[in-house]
């Protein structure tokens, strides 16, 4: 049954009344026997490759209302793309031309943004490409990127947080011959598994609770339940001894520090922009909202293993007494389980893992034509009390203002300094960059690949280097912003154009 705009708004505003916490759990903290809770088969979004028409892959997407059953007997009103919640995994080939028809069957305007892709600004699906209710917007472009895990989501101005929270997001996988030749696990749903991580809050009646308190707006909206591909208490039955997980932090605000319950080693093989030079052995991985990582995990006959969150080495919001207090109030960073993996007894031996992967694009600092400086601000005191004060270089986002004009093809360093008490994942549209340094130090091996989102801790200075290629348009801006969606909605976003 279609919902009116008013109903949609109401769903989001039943603030904290009868908030649901998982039984046996204190907030999101693990119970004594967490495994018993995790028995819902992990949902797998359907794959959509589109139909071939006139040399293009045509993909039809429709935004609409639905009802989801995350918690069994308590139905949750949601929004989704070609379904009740989230969207299909779009799967396309590098070099291919694609045409995405986005039809909005919601009663409020929306957009769909292709996060991580290099494309014309008018095709980007940002806040200037609004799709009004009942209308269809078409985005057509050539896929330039190499094999990688990208994603897509609503980018409606001031409404991105709530629209993504209710379900407007999905994964976008690019394949290429180079990646295929590596013989990495690539059987979707068998040994190549998408994991879209999202935390959600529920009211007693099962409806989502979305940000309404000052705390939610300042820290970003965090929930008490983990959904993986829209499955709460998810269990995945391992099918192959070597399994590739494509992990997307699709949460509005939560930063994960993921590890396995037995602290096993795994290999990170890809970052936001695609495959790394070589697999990087890891035991934990930090993923901020917007970031992706592909990892290879070995499973053998064994007991269950949980994927879990361990409190961050640099907790968010501890930069000042006030933020530290707010984080504590929220129980913001306690350990919790994300999902469960169950490996059968008869798994065969581990497959061979390639030692070298690819050579991702790189630039040296000496190639840079210029450095642009960006300072991330949160105004404390009154600005903070009003839930405002988010900005970049002292200014909040303004749709009519262009913050930077970048010459097409110039190699540039973007120097991002976080002058606020919280960590912010900064995302730049239309490009993949390299992290040059963090406070002058080279990034860890697993961050030495192509990225489009980088977590900048409180007080930290991160320099990234990139080059905007293929498209210029002095009239149509791309966005750069914090990917904590409540921060983005509150103004921690800017616009740049690529010019010739
Ligand atoms: Cu993932 Cu501007 O967005
Ligand atoms: Cu983006
Ligand atoms: Cu932020």
């Amino acid at each position: 049954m279609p919902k009116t705009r008013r109903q949609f708004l109401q769903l989001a505003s039943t603030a904290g009344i009868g908030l649901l916490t998982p039984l046996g759990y204190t907030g999101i903290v693990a119970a004594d026997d967490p495994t018993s809770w995790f028995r819902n088969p992990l949902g797998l979004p359907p794959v959509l490759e589109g139909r071939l028409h006139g040399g293009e892959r045509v993909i039809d997407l429709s935004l609409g209302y639905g009802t989801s059953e995350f918690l069994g007997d308590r139905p949750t009103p949601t929004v989704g793309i070609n379904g009740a919640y989230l969207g299909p995994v779009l799967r396309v080939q590098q070099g291919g031309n694609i045409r995405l028809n986005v039809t909005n069957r919601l009663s409020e305007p929306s957009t769909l943004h292709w996060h991580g892709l290099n494309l014309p600004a008018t095709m980007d699906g940002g806040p200037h490409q609004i799709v009004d209710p009942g209308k269809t917007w078409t985005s057509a472009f050539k896929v330039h990127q190499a094999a990688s895990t990208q994603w897509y989501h609503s980018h409606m101005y001031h409404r991105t947080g709530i629209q993504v929270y209710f379900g407007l997001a999905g994964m976008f996988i690019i394949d290429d011959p180079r990646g295929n030749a590596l013989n990495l696990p690539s059987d979707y749903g068998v040994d190549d598994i998408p994991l879209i991580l999202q935390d959600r809050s529920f009211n007693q009646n099962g409806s989502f609770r979305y940000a309404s308190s000052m705390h939610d707006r300042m820290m970003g909206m965090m929930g008490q339940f983990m959904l993986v591909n829209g499955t709460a208490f998810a269990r995945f039955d391992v099918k192959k001894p070597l399994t590739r997980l494509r992990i997307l932090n699709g949460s509005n605000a939560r930063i994960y520090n993921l590890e396995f319950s037995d602290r096993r080693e795994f290999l990170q093989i890809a970052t936001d922009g695609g495959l790394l030079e070589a697999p990087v052995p890891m035991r934990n991985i930090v993923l901020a909202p917007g970031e992706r990582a592909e990892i290879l995990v070995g499973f053998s006959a064994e007991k269950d293993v949980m994927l879990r969150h361990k409190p961050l080495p640099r907790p968010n919001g501890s930069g000042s007494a006030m933020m530290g207090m707010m984080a504590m109030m929220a129980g913001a960073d306690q350990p919790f389980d994300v999902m469960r993996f169950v490996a059968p007894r008869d798994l065969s031996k581990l497959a061979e893992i390639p030692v070298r992967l690819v050579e991702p694009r790189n630039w040296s600092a000496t190639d840079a034509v210029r450095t642009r400086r960006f300072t991330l601000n949160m105004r404390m005191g009154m600005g903070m009390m009003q839930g405002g004060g988010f900005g970049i270089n002292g200014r909040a986002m303004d749709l009519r203002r262009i913050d930077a004009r970048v010459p097409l093809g110039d190699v540039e360093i973007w120097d991002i300094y976080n002058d606020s008490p919280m960590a912010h994942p900064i995302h730049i549209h239309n490009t993949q960059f390299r992290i040059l340094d963090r406070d002058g130090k080279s990034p860890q091996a697993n961050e030495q690949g192509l990225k489009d989102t980088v977590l900048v801790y409180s007080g930290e200075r991160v320099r990234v280097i990139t080059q905007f290629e293929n498209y210029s348009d002095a009239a149509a801006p791309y966005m750069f912003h914090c990917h904590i969606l409540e921060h983005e909605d509150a103004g921690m976003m800017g616009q740049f154009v690529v010019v010739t």
Side-chain angles (χ1 to χ4, degrees), residues 164-176:
V164 171
Y165 197 84
F166 273 76
L168 294 186
M171 196 176 268
F172 195 130
I173 297 176
I174 301 172
D175 294 303
D176 70 11

Side-chain angles (χ1 to χ4, degrees), residues 390 422-425 482-484 487-488 492:
F390 287 94
M422 279 183 74
H424 303 280
C482 175
H483 223 288
I484 291 178
H487 294 180
E488 174 191 334
M492 194 177 275

Side-chain angles (χ1 to χ4, degrees), residues 104-336:
N104 183 359
R105 300 193 194 288
L106 302 172
S107 48
E108 65 174 73
S110 189
T111 81
L112 273 193
H113 162 61
W114 324 108
H115 177 129
L117 282 94
N118 171 218
L119 35 57
T122 52
M123 301 298 169
D124 193 37
H128 295 277
Q129 287 86 46
I130 292 174
V131 196
D132 280 316
K135 294 282 187 301
T136 298
W137 169 70
T138 295
S139 175
F141 55 90
K142 185 187 173 86
V143 178
H144 292 281
Q145 267 101 333
S148 51
T149 303
Q150 312 291 345
W151 66 305
Y152 61 102
H153 58 81
S154 155
H155 216 302
M156 189 66 200
Y157 193 39
H158 293 319
R159 300 277 296 168
T160 298
I162 187 170
Q163 292 193 352
V164 171
Y165 197 84
F166 273 76
L168 294 186
M171 196 176 268
F172 195 130
I173 297 176
I174 301 172
D175 294 303
D176 70 11
R178 221 173 31 159
N180 295 344
L182 291 170
N183 285 320
L184 295 165
S186 54
D187 197 350
Y188 182 83
V190 177
D191 60 7
D192 184 352
I193 315 295
L195 299 183
I196 304 174
L197 308 188
Q198 299 177 306
D199 56 330
R200 293 292 183 265
S201 234
F202 294 89
N203 298 303
Q204 284 290 350
N205 65 3
S207 62
F208 278 145
R209 186 187 77 83
Y210 183 71
S212 43
S213 68
M214 180 190 82
H215 183 276
D216 292 339
R217 288 192 299 268
M218 294 307 294
M219 307 296 292
M221 182 62 200
M222 292 191 236
Q224 283 71 32
F225 288 78
M226 276 309 302
L227 303 183
V228 185
N229 302 340
T231 307
F233 301 105
R235 161 195 171 133
F236 179 71
D237 286 287
V238 175
K239 288 158 191 78
K240 290 288 172 67
L242 186 66
T243 298
R244 174 198 215 158
L245 304 176
R246 297 176 187 259
I247 311 175
L248 156 65
N249 184 345
S251 298
N252 280 36
R254 194 177 283 280
I255 302 168
Y256 300 96
N257 177 32
L258 301 169
E259 62 172 26
F260 288 94
S261 47
D262 59 1
R263 300 276 296 133
R264 71 180 52 192
E265 194 173 273
F266 55 86
L267 298 172
Q268 184 170 353
I269 56 167
T271 48
D272 304 336
L275 294 164
L276 287 157
E277 227 163 277
V280 179
M282 317 264 294
R283 285 187 200 277
N284 71 293
I285 182 171
V286 175
L287 270 193
E291 289 187 300
R292 289 86 68 206
E294 294 180 29
I295 65 171
L296 298 180
V297 191
F299 292 98
S300 57
E302 63 202 18
K303 290 198 310 235
D304 298 4
V305 60
M306 304 297 291
L307 179 65
R308 68 184 184 195
H309 165 79
K310 191 180 158 207
L312 287 160
R314 299 176 74 164
N316 209 358
S318 67
S320 76
M322 174 117 187
M323 296 304 289
M325 219 172 69
M326 288 176 69
M328 234 171 62
M329 268 156 46
D333 218 8
Q334 304 176 55
F336 57 83

Side-chain angles (χ1 to χ4, degrees), residues 434-454:
R434 289 282 202 142
I435 302 173
L436 268 183
D437 44 37
R438 289 179 170 278
D439 279 340
K441 291 192 264 327
S442 298
Q444 308 258 311
N446 74 307
E447 280 200 322
Q448 294 184 16
L450 290 168
K451 300 273 300 157
D452 57 48
T453 306
V454 60

